[in-house]
Amino acid sequence: MPPVPGAFEEEWNPTEESVRSVRGRHKLTKQRGGSMARSSTVLGVGMIAAVGAGGIATAQEKPATSISMPDVSAAANKAKDLPGVKLLSGGSDEVAAGQPLTQGALTKGDTDAGRTDAGEALRSRILQQAQTQQSAAEDSARAKAADKAAEAARAKAAKAQDKAEAAQRKKAEDARLAKLAKSFKLPVSGYQLTSGFGESGSLWSNGHTGLDFAASSGTPIRAVHSGTVTSAGWAGSYGYRTIVKMDDGTELWFCHQSSMDVSSGQKVRTGEVIGRVGSTGNVTGAHLHLEVRPGGGSPIDPAAWLRGKGLTP
């Protein structure tokens, strides 16, 4: 209830006569100490009225209090310094796709290119990035293809060089053999090879130790290379045998001769006749049995030795 102006200018002490009596059937039952109860009630009403009046007076007399609010503009300025805020607020310090942004997340490059729509600008940047990645992939593929082609070219060049070097080596070897062939000669002509080195048979106790040139009896036997005759005579199962020692110590044995045209200690030259094909010793027909013994030791394959000298038996 609003206060009445001037109602409480003087002190008000409620009395029994000033309090309206309760009428009707709602009359309170008299209690022990009734005067105290009535006094309490009156006192409560007075206190409420006093407090209300005092509150109004206090509110009227108390000076206005100022309310402090934070500086919103300063906080906003500080917030702009945070990463990514300038991009959202349209600041020019942040960049998108490597370029400074303008309003609407548009870069300076977009503005220069006449793009004003943010969606179209984003689409253009995505396409540009895709093109950049595709170009990088294509460059990588071209680099790999170039490396592969270069490797293939190097391999081809190396193969060609190896082939050329092999041809050069063969040419040099052919020249060497041709030169040797002039100083070496096959022992007989018009022959047929019948038994090779290492073959087994009833005529040889430990395998065949030479190469047999079958030819007509009396066919001339020539010195394969120049050397010195160290032996010329009968040699049991070898029949008539002539041994020529070359300068490198290799011994050449010419066996089963029908006759001999040289003697021990004689010097012979390549191609010089030293005897005749025959069938003396342990044989089954007329032929020349040729043995090659390097250093006068164990025999080796005469066919391979002759090929090494440029001759093909």
Side-chain angles (χ1 to χ4, degrees):
M1 173 177 181
V4 178
F8 299 100
E9 293 181 359
E10 294 182 358
E11 184 178 356
W12 177 66
N13 293 319
T15 63
E16 186 175 356
E17 289 76 8
S18 63
V19 177
R20 182 180 298 180
S21 61
V22 178
R23 298 178 181 181
R25 56 184 176 180
H26 297 288
K27 183 177 181 180
L28 294 175
T29 304
K30 184 176 182 181
Q31 298 178 358
R32 185 182 300 176
S35 60
M36 180 64 69
R38 288 193 296 272
S39 299
S40 298
T41 303
V42 173
L43 180 60
V45 173
M47 290 179 64
I48 293 173
V51 169
I56 294 173
T58 302
Q60 291 175 350
E61 295 173 0
K62 188 175 182 179
T65 303
S66 62
I67 300 175
S68 176
M69 297 293 289
D71 191 348
V72 179
S73 60
N77 291 332
K78 291 183 179 180
K80 288 183 179 181
D81 294 334
L82 296 178
V85 175
K86 291 183 180 181
L87 178 63
L88 297 176
S89 62
S92 59
D93 293 339
E94 295 289 331
V95 296
Q99 298 185 31
L101 293 175
T102 61
Q103 294 182 353
L106 298 175
T107 65
K108 187 176 182 303
D110 295 331
T111 305
D112 295 341
R115 290 188 291 268
T116 58
D117 182 78
E120 181 63 23
L122 178 60
R123 176 179 174 274
S124 299
R125 286 195 291 272
I126 293 174
L127 292 176
Q128 183 178 4
Q129 183 178 7
Q131 291 175 356
T132 301
Q133 293 175 351
Q134 183 177 0
S135 298
E138 292 175 354
D139 292 342
S140 178
R142 282 193 293 268
K144 289 181 180 179
D147 292 342
K148 186 176 181 180
E151 183 64 23
R154 285 192 294 269
K156 185 177 180 180
K159 185 177 181 180
Q161 184 177 359
D162 291 342
K163 185 176 180 181
E165 291 177 353
Q168 186 175 2
R169 287 193 298 269
K170 185 177 183 303
K171 183 178 179 180
E173 181 65 12
D174 291 344
R176 185 186 71 83
L177 293 178
K179 184 177 180 180
L180 285 175
K182 295 179 179 179
S183 58
F184 286 85
K185 189 175 182 64
L186 290 173
V188 294
S189 58
Y191 62 90
Q192 182 179 357
L193 297 177
T194 55
S195 298
F197 180 80
E199 292 183 9
S200 60
S202 58
L203 298 177
W204 314 297
S205 58
N206 295 316
H208 196 222
T209 56
L211 182 64
D212 289 349
F213 295 82
S216 300
S217 182
T219 301
I221 299 174
R222 302 180 182 278
V224 175
H225 191 65
S226 59
T228 302
V229 178
T230 58
S231 176
W234 183 259
S237 61
Y238 285 105
Y240 289 109
R241 180 189 65 183
T242 298
I243 298 177
V244 177
K245 186 176 183 179
M246 295 170 54
D247 294 339
D248 64 357
T250 302
E251 291 183 354
L252 302 178
W253 290 14
F254 302 87
C255 309
H256 306 307
Q257 297 179 78
S258 60
S259 62
M260 296 178 291
D261 294 346
V262 294
S263 57
S264 182
Q266 182 178 339
K267 298 287 186 179
V268 295
R269 298 185 302 274
T270 301
E272 184 177 347
V273 177
I274 60 175
R276 305 284 174 171
V277 173
S279 56
T280 59
N282 189 10
V283 297
T284 57
H287 70 279
L288 168 66
H289 174 84
L290 176 67
E291 289 190 9
V292 178
R293 294 174 177 261
S298 300
I300 62 173
D301 185 2
W305 183 83
L306 289 171
R307 285 194 295 270
K309 304 305 179 182
L311 302 175
T312 302

